[in-house]
Amino acid sequence: MDIRKLVKPNIRSLRAYHAEEIPCKVKLDANESPYSAISNQRSAISLEKNLQTLNRYPDPQAKALKNLIAKDLRIKSGNILHGNGSDELIYYMITTFGGPVMYPVPTFSMYGIISQALGEKKIEIPLDNKFDLDVEKILKGIEKYKPKLIFLSSPNNPTGNCFSSDKILRIIKATSFSKQRRGERPFAPTLSLVVVDEAYQPFTGKSEFLPLLGKYRNLVIMRTLSKIGLAGLRLGFLIANEEIINEVNKVRLPFNVNSLSQAVAIEALINKKQLRTYITSIISERKRLFREMEKIDGITPYPSDANFILFRAANAVRVYKCLLEKGVLIRDMTGVIENCLRVTVGTPGENTVFLKALKQLI
Ligand code: PMP
């Protein structure tokens, strides 16, 4: 019997997210932080306490964790929804609102994979030649396809740049709706939710969209702890108006974030100074990597606001394979952007190993 015949057609043609474990000495492929954001002593005390109550389900509302984040961001905890990584929140958004789902390409692949898994139509709009949003095409697409959801990863993965804020704002305004009075038609002809995925926001030093939440009710911001040293915990957050949060909360699995993750995240977030130190080091290493890569003949790095750098190399697949032979794992992006590879910023030592290997190769 061919089991595949039982599988829904949209799943049959789907390709699983590429997340292979490839053995290596220097791991610079997954945009993780090279530093674990938790000190051993603090996490041990917190874990010990929580291990004794593992017979109980976790707090379904993650109240303590959300309160801490709300205080930090100066918002209400009712404006936050917690997810098992932001991947899960993308799933929940598309489950709740459905499609069409619009996003620029190339971008984070999960927007497309989850849309397809849920049988929703995908509208992909190519970025312009500076990897910025082609806002005219997007606005036309909005008019034509009336997407329910628009995902904008800014900084964008894998290109590394922030999209122009004024372009993002134009898209938010074009699809926003003002508070409706009874009997009144919505203000804008197309209502879409614009999800600004700020997974890499800590490396930009900017937080422009958070203050706009009160003004634009169709704005949703997504953040994660994965890029700041806690990828193993699997914790992401949606930040939006309460009415959006309440709708998405209906599809959230009741105990989606386990108790150990909740407890350890609280410990890590309390120690803000430590988090800041790691982020500062990654930003300064990003600058060094960029400068050094620029000097290598045949390598063109693209400016980045994130914790990784996209670069072009003649014979990119060979460069990728040769680096791996030397124990340095980066990400092959040639299937997405011609001749491009992506390297995550590591510790100063790891970055030096990468640079040395790259120079030797070229
Ligand atoms: N958004 C973007 C733009 C990403 O690059 C990633 C991780 N690669 C995610 C979301 C998912 O992050 P999380 O680990 O929180 O699921």
Side-chain angles (χ1 to χ4, degrees):
M1 193 181 77
D2 184 1
I3 294 290
R4 278 170 52 90
K5 286 194 180 137
L6 291 178
V7 178
K8 292 197 283 183
N10 54 311
I11 307 290
R12 214 181 298 145
S13 59
L14 193 62
R15 281 188 32 212
Y17 180 78
H18 168 94
E20 250 180 292
E21 287 283 320
I22 301 174
C24 61
K25 280 195 242 132
V26 176
K27 189 176 181 314
L28 302 174
D29 67 323
N31 299 346
E32 298 147 327
S33 168
Y35 309 107
S36 175
I38 186 102
S39 80
N40 292 341
Q41 205 190 349
R42 288 188 76 109
S43 57
I45 296 166
S46 160
L47 277 180
E48 180 65 39
K49 226 170 58 196
N50 278 276
L51 286 175
Q52 287 160 18
T53 51
L54 274 187
N55 54 319
R56 302 293 176 200
Y57 283 108
D59 173 2
Q61 309 299 341
K63 283 187 291 295
L65 177 58
K66 284 200 302 196
N67 284 340
L68 186 66
I69 291 173
K71 204 169 140 208
D72 206 33
L73 299 179
R74 298 202 181 100
I75 54 176
K76 285 194 259 163
S77 76
N79 294 119
I80 303 175
L81 191 76
H82 53 295
N84 199 281
S86 34
D87 284 345
E88 188 184 51
L89 296 168
I90 301 168
Y91 226 110
Y92 289 165
M93 284 299 287
I94 303 176
T95 304
T96 305
F97 298 101
V101 179
M102 180 183 274
Y103 47 87
V105 280
T107 193
F108 182 44
S109 58
M110 290 312 290
Y111 310 140
I113 293 176
I114 296 173
S115 300
Q116 187 171 338
L118 294 173
E120 300 295 351
K121 191 178 168 71
K122 301 177 280 185
I123 314 287
E124 302 184 337
I125 312 276
L127 292 172
D128 69 15
N129 56 9
K130 291 198 177 107
F131 294 147
D132 202 355
L133 297 171
D134 188 334
V135 79
E136 300 306 331
K137 272 207 194 111
I138 290 180
L139 292 178
K140 269 197 199 130
I142 289 170
E143 223 176 286
K144 182 163 174 200
Y145 298 105
K146 310 218 177 305
K148 294 266 188 60
L149 288 167
I150 303 170
F151 284 94
L152 303 174
S153 160
S154 187
N156 186 40
N157 178 11
T159 56
N161 56 309
C162 278
F163 297 138
S164 309
S165 313
D166 57 321
K167 291 186 178 180
I168 298 182
L169 203 56
R170 269 183 78 188
I171 296 165
I172 296 171
K173 280 183 182 166
T175 54
S176 99
F177 40 98
S178 54
K179 210 165 194 139
Q180 234 177 301
R181 292 206 197 96
R182 209 184 305 195
E184 204 178 67
R185 280 166 63 86
F187 169 69
T190 304
L191 310 181
S192 312
L193 295 185
V194 180
V195 185
V196 183
D197 181 348
E198 295 191 334
Y200 301 97
Q201 177 276 340
F203 309 102
T204 66
K206 300 188 277 193
S207 181
E208 296 166 282
F209 292 96
L210 208 56
L212 300 182
L213 277 176
K215 191 162 179 195
Y216 301 106
R217 290 162 65 230
N218 61 331
L219 173 61
V220 178
I221 292 169
M222 211 161 56
R223 298 259 177 109
T224 178
L225 301 189
S226 294
K227 312 299 168 189
I228 55 169
L230 297 165
L233 292 186
R234 308 302 300 125
L235 257 169
F237 301 95
L238 269 191
I239 307 165
N241 275 286
E242 224 165 326
E243 47 191 331
I244 295 176
I245 298 294
N246 292 343
E247 291 304 318
V248 184
N249 191 40
K250 292 178 189 170
V251 304
R252 184 177 61 82
L253 298 177
F255 306 108
N256 59 330
V257 174
N258 73 70
S259 42
L260 300 184
S261 288
Q262 292 188 32
V264 176
I266 289 170
E267 293 302 330
L269 292 176
I270 287 173
N271 197 350
K272 271 203 239 166
K273 209 168 138 202
Q274 178 77 82
L275 282 175
R276 237 327 81 222
T277 309
Y278 291 146
I279 291 169
T280 310
S281 153
I282 290 166
I283 294 173
S284 92
E285 275 298 296
R286 178 185 71 205
K287 290 181 188 158
R288 178 174 78 96
L289 258 185
F290 185 85
R291 273 198 317 268
E292 293 300 317
M293 287 168 79
E294 259 192 323
K295 289 184 204 158
I296 306 175
D297 262 352
I299 297 289
T300 314
Y302 292 99
S304 169
D305 299 299
N307 66 340
F308 58 85
I309 294 177
L310 184 80
F311 64 98
R312 196 173 284 272
N315 239 329
V317 177
R318 232 180 83 77
V319 172
Y320 168 82
K321 284 187 184 153
C322 290
L323 282 172
L324 192 55
E325 275 167 20
K326 289 174 184 283
V328 181
L329 177 64
I330 61 168
R331 184 62 75 96
D332 180 359
M333 283 289 159
T334 53
V336 184
I337 313 174
E338 208 188 343
N339 273 331
C340 277
L341 303 170
R342 191 191 71 193
V343 61
T344 305
V345 181
T347 61
E350 288 172 332
N351 301 332
T352 302
V353 171
F354 162 73
L355 284 169
K356 214 171 133 195
L358 190 63
K359 278 177 198 162
Q360 275 174 1
L361 275 178
I362 305 290

